[in-house]
Amino acid sequence: MSVDLHESAVPPPDGSRGPGAGPSRRTVIATGVAVGGAVVAGGAIALAPEEAVAVGAAPSTEVSLTVNGIRRNVTVDNRTSLLDLLREHLGLTGSKKGCNAGACGACTVLVDGRRVNSCLTLAVRLEGAEVTTVEGLADGDELHPLQQAFIDQDAFQCGYCTPGQIVSGVGCIQEGHTGSPEEIREWMSGNICRCGCYVKIVRAVEQTAARK
Ligand code: FES
Ligand code: FES
């Protein structure tokens, strides 16, 4: 929020805006100090010492989980999402951060075999969990059948949503929600593709499900 220090924010009763009308510059600064802490040169806000300590000492927790078959022991800030743990701490950048709010599905991973939006999942809640990301689907150089099907069906354009689509498709097939294109669409509806590749994505899921 910016405050114009050269004019009064509250006009005087007579409506004038001349010099001396309303609270002075000194009054505005004093009010800012009283309400929001210290106003310092350049507009930065300085935290009170006890606030600074609280920010610097965010609680953290050690978590042990398995990611793509590898045991990981990590100490994370309790506020860390699974998506940030994967991308920022473990270097697994296949899962994408689209909305970071549970609305696009670009961050979809499997936790104990279930599809989750990793941007909405706190890492500290995953003690002992098994996480599978798009990096964990292939078998060495051999692509997962759904990865191959995405290539066969040309089911992507920019590719940003694709890791989430593929992981979600794997979950969809494991859950058995592949009885018809309509059913696949319904159970993949949490994964948005801004390039509009939906028809081909559904075909890729169908092709893979038919192999089982
Ligand atoms: Fe997680 Fe969009 S980034 S749902
Ligand atoms: Fe571009 Fe889906 S391929 S968002």
Side-chain angles (χ1 to χ4, degrees):
M1 182 181 75
S2 64
V3 177
D4 184 342
L5 299 179
H6 300 287
E7 287 193 34
S8 163
V10 181
D14 64 0
S16 70
R17 300 180 64 85
S24 67
R25 175 187 174 91
R26 182 185 299 271
T27 306
V28 171
I29 291 177
T31 304
V33 170
V35 172
V39 178
V40 298
I45 304 295
L47 296 174
E50 61 274 19
E51 292 172 315
V53 168
V55 169
S60 59
T61 302
E62 186 174 350
V63 185
S64 180
L65 70 170
T66 302
V67 181
N68 298 333
I70 300 172
R71 195 77 176 166
R72 304 279 197 165
N73 297 308
V74 291
T75 299
V76 293
D77 181 316
N78 288 358
R79 301 163 294 183
T80 305
S81 68
L82 173 57
L83 179 60
D84 282 342
L85 171 65
L86 294 170
R87 291 180 57 84
E88 310 299 335
H89 298 263
L90 302 183
L92 296 169
T93 55
S95 308
K96 296 293 181 273
K97 185 178 281 188
C99 63
N100 205 28
C104 74
C107 64
T108 305
V109 301
L110 301 176
V111 174
D112 295 330
R114 298 186 59 198
R115 294 181 275 177
V116 303
N117 288 327
S118 60
C119 69
L120 293 185
T121 305
L122 286 174
V124 293
R125 301 193 63 186
L126 298 177
E127 176 64 31
E130 300 237 0
V131 178
T132 303
T133 71
V134 70
E135 291 95 337
L137 295 179
D139 182 7
D141 289 337
E142 188 176 339
L143 293 177
H144 185 283
L146 186 54
Q147 291 175 308
Q148 186 60 54
F150 264 66
I151 295 171
D152 296 344
Q153 299 292 343
D154 195 20
F156 49 87
Q157 288 184 34
C158 78
Y160 196 81
C161 74
T162 309
Q165 299 279 3
I166 290 175
V167 174
S168 188
V170 169
C172 184
I173 293 166
Q174 287 175 355
E175 295 157 16
H177 297 304
T178 55
S180 66
E182 292 72 29
E183 186 179 11
I184 293 170
R185 270 191 215 104
E186 174 69 22
W187 288 88
M188 293 287 291
S189 61
N191 290 78
I192 306 301
C193 176
R194 288 168 181 79
C195 298
C197 299
Y198 297 111
V199 171
K200 294 176 177 178
I201 291 170
V202 170
R203 279 193 203 135
V205 174
E206 268 188 304
Q207 172 186 320
T208 309
R211 290 169 45 119
K212 296 193 78 178

